[in-house]
Amino acid sequence: MRCWRHRDFGCWRVELVAMMPRVDCPGCGVVVASVPWAEPGSRFTRDFESECAWLMSDQAKTELNHWVFWASHNRIPEIVELARRIRRRRPDILRTIQLGYSNARLEASDNRIKVTIRMAYGFHHVTNLIALVMLRCGGLDVRLPQPAI
């Protein structure tokens, strides 16, 4: 039996409870069946997660507006200049918060590619390098066979 937190109904907390059957999959073996209202491994429904994301983006917008208002009325010229820059880039900042993307992910993937290029030094063909980059950055979880002890 599993439980998922759902959107509240008025002042009542709502949880979905269901018996989860085990399914014999020919490719994966015995697995727990998936449900249409939640992502695999999540304890929250899709509706609850989307509502939380919407509330976070709305709250982030309010907090940013409040800080910019405070900073623009400050006496420190550097803070006022920062508030002016943030006001100018506000749509981009809010879009970044809403989408959850940051420069850190881009830098991490760029670093992984650079390390892979260093590893591939001496390859005869660029197609081998491209295949290695795709393998390392593609998100596949490749498990090599281990010797039995």
Side-chain angles (χ1 to χ4, degrees), residues 30-82:
V30 177
V31 294
V32 177
S34 62
V35 293
W37 59 81
E39 294 293 326
S42 177
R43 294 295 181 197
F44 304 102
T45 63
R46 287 188 174 113
D47 289 341
F48 184 81
E49 289 177 349
S50 64
E51 184 179 22
C52 287
W54 178 80
L55 287 173
M56 289 302 293
S57 66
D58 193 39
Q59 182 179 358
K61 186 176 181 179
T62 304
E63 290 291 327
L64 185 65
N65 289 338
H66 177 69
W67 189 90
V68 168
F69 177 78
W70 169 83
S72 62
H73 291 85
N74 201 310
R75 293 183 183 172
I76 302 172
E78 289 83 5
I79 298 292
V80 174
E81 174 65 21
L82 179 62

Side-chain angles (χ1 to χ4, degrees), residues 7-9 18-20 25 33 46 50 66-68 71 73 88-89 102 120 134 139-140:
R7 292 172 45 186
D8 293 340
F9 183 72
M19 295 291 292
M20 299 303 301
C25 175
R46 287 188 174 113
S50 64
H66 177 69
W67 189 90
V68 168
H73 291 85
R88 187 177 52 211
R89 302 296 299 212
S102 71
M134 296 296 280
L140 290 176

Side-chain angles (χ1 to χ4, degrees), residues 81-94:
E81 174 65 21
L82 179 62
R84 187 179 64 76
R85 289 181 182 175
I86 289 176
R87 191 179 300 120
R88 187 177 52 211
R89 302 296 299 212
R90 181 184 291 158
D92 298 332
I93 294 169
L94 291 174

Side-chain angles (χ1 to χ4, degrees), residues 6-18:
H6 189 57
R7 292 172 45 186
D8 293 340
F9 183 72
C11 61
W12 300 97
R13 179 184 168 128
V14 178
E15 293 181 349
L16 297 176
V17 180

